[in-house]
């Protein structure tokens, strides 16, 4: 298992390097600059700002300096938020995104596995068709459509829940964004669970267990372990994406998370802030993919030889 983990870590290093390199140059190829204002600054002031932030240096020099700072954990200062570093901004937004994403992931996992299990147990029946229809709707309707519909229905019409804001994570402010984030993920997990369970239940070991007269609950537990691999594999990048913030959901509901910080950084051409969010998401994806690999290796030891 130690060798398996080391191989995965060694594979992650060039991946992270490639992501940082591509992101660094792509961000700077975008039109406009961090200090382009509606009322242009005086040329001397613009030159001073560029010199202070190192933007007067050639691009390869800027890249080398950024890599050197990144190796020490320094994400640089924010261009758009005065007297704050990128690390401070991300530290302020990450708890919001992690709380929101963690709840959404939990809801999606419970609802998706439950719905997929019911659909597999009632294959071809009314519940199976209903679960499949709900799953298709969850995938077909994007978040930027679901969020306003929920705001109109439960916020403006029924007045049960607020349409936005954070209020220190009050439960009432979490319901609508969590549901918006959880719906498409629950739909995918339900479809994966249903398909995997049907495949496992059709195998010879499961047929043997049924022929031995074992209780359905015992058979279901064995089947769930065999059907867990596709769901576990899907949870890696999904968890990383949810925990590091959703650009659409955080913007629509006005939540001060990492996704909102990324939007603000992109609009203001705040290069360090955009790069910081990219690095954060990349690290989360790598870490959670490693955790998925470990979980998969525990469920199926054959994976360790890959």
């Amino acid at each position: 298992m130690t060798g398996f983990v080391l191989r995965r870590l060694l594979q992650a290093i060039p991946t992270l390097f490639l992501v940082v390199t591509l992101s660094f140059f792509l961000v700077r190829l975008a039109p406009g600059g961090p200090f382009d204002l509606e009322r242009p600054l005086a040329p001397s002031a613009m030159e001073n700002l560029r010199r202070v932030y190192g933007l007067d240096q050639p691009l390869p020099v800027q890249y080398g300096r950024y890599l050197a700072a990144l190796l020490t954990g320094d994400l640089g200062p924010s261009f758009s938020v005065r007297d704050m570093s990128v690390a401070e901004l991300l530290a302020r937004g990450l708890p919001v995104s992690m709380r929101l994403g963690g709840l959404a992931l939990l809801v999606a996992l419970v609802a998706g596995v439950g719905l997929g299990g019911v659909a597999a147990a009632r294959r071809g029946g009314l519940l199976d068709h209903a679960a499949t229809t709900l799953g298709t709707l969850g995938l077909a309707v994007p978040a930027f459509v679901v969020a306003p519909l929920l705001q109109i229905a439960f916020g403006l019409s029924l007045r049960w829940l607020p349409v936005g804001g954070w209020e220190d994570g009050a439960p009432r402010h979490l319901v609508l964004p969590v549901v918006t984030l959880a719906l498409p993920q629950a739909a995918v997990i339900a479809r994966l669970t249903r398909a995997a369970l049907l495949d496992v239940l059709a195998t010879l070991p499961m047929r043997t267990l049924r022929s031995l007269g074992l209780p359905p609950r015992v058979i279901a537990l064995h089947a769930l372990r065999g059907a867990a691999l596709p769901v576990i594999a899907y949870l890696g990048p999904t968890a990383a994406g949810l925990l590091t913030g959703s650009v659409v959901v955080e913007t629509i509901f006005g939540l001060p998370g990492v996704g909102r910080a990324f939007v603000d950084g992109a609009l203001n051409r705040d290069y360090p802030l955009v790069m910081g969010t990219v690095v954060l998401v990349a690290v989360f994806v790598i870490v959670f993919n490693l955790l998925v690999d470990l979980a998969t290796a525990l469920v199926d030891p054959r994976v360790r030889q890959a």
Side-chain angles (χ1 to χ4, degrees):
M1 182 64 76
T2 302
F4 175 78
V5 173
L6 289 176
R7 289 197 302 272
R8 290 296 187 265
L9 288 175
L10 290 176
Q11 293 172 3
I13 294 174
T15 301
L16 182 59
F17 173 77
L18 184 61
V19 169
V20 170
T21 301
L22 290 176
S23 301
F24 182 89
F25 289 102
L26 287 175
V27 165
R28 280 159 175 77
L29 287 175
F35 307 117
D36 292 343
L37 305 175
E38 292 183 4
R39 298 182 60 183
L41 296 173
S44 59
M46 180 71 76
E47 186 63 29
N48 287 334
L49 284 173
R50 291 177 59 84
R51 184 171 60 254
V52 168
Y53 290 105
L55 298 178
D56 60 332
Q57 300 294 323
L59 204 55
V61 175
Q62 296 181 41
Y63 173 67
R65 289 181 174 179
Y66 184 80
L67 282 184
L70 189 61
L71 290 175
T72 64
D74 182 11
L75 297 175
S78 171
F79 290 171
S80 59
V81 183
R82 184 175 299 178
D83 299 328
M84 288 198 71
S85 66
V86 172
E88 291 172 334
L89 290 174
L90 294 181
R92 187 173 64 182
L94 188 57
V96 176
S97 296
M98 290 191 69
R99 183 173 182 182
L100 187 68
L103 289 173
L105 185 64
L106 180 62
V107 171
L109 188 60
V110 173
V113 172
L115 198 61
V118 170
R122 301 289 188 271
R123 182 180 183 181
L126 181 61
L127 288 176
D128 184 18
H129 291 302
T132 303
T133 302
L134 290 175
T136 303
L137 287 175
L139 287 173
V141 184
F144 62 82
V145 174
V146 173
L149 290 177
L150 293 178
Q151 288 174 323
I152 293 171
F154 296 99
L156 300 179
S157 299
L158 299 175
R159 299 185 182 276
W160 290 352
L161 298 167
V163 297
W166 180 242
E167 295 295 331
D168 295 326
R172 295 178 69 250
H173 288 264
L174 291 173
V175 175
L176 294 185
V178 165
V179 171
T180 304
L181 282 174
L183 278 176
Q185 311 306 333
V188 175
I189 292 173
R191 293 168 70 95
L192 288 174
T193 302
R194 178 185 180 277
L197 278 175
L198 291 177
D199 289 340
V200 172
L201 290 172
T203 60
L204 180 59
M206 291 297 107
R207 294 201 300 268
T208 302
L209 291 179
R210 285 196 295 269
S211 66
L212 293 175
L214 292 179
R217 181 178 300 178
V218 176
I219 297 175
L221 290 176
H222 284 282
L224 280 175
R225 181 177 180 181
L229 291 179
V231 177
I232 292 174
Y234 177 75
L235 286 179
T238 300
L242 289 176
L243 295 176
T244 53
S246 168
V247 171
V248 173
V249 171
E250 290 183 4
T251 301
I252 291 177
F253 289 99
L255 305 176
V258 175
R260 181 73 177 273
F262 178 81
V263 172
D264 292 340
L267 293 176
N268 294 312
R269 301 298 189 271
D270 191 336
Y271 300 151
L273 183 54
V274 173
M275 286 298 303
T277 55
V278 169
V279 170
L280 179 66
V281 172
V283 169
F284 264 72
V285 170
I286 289 171
V287 170
F288 275 92
N289 280 338
L290 177 60
L291 294 176
V292 165
D293 289 340
L294 291 175
T296 304
L298 291 175
V299 174
D300 187 357
R302 295 173 297 177
V303 177
R304 303 175 195 175
Q305 308 301 324

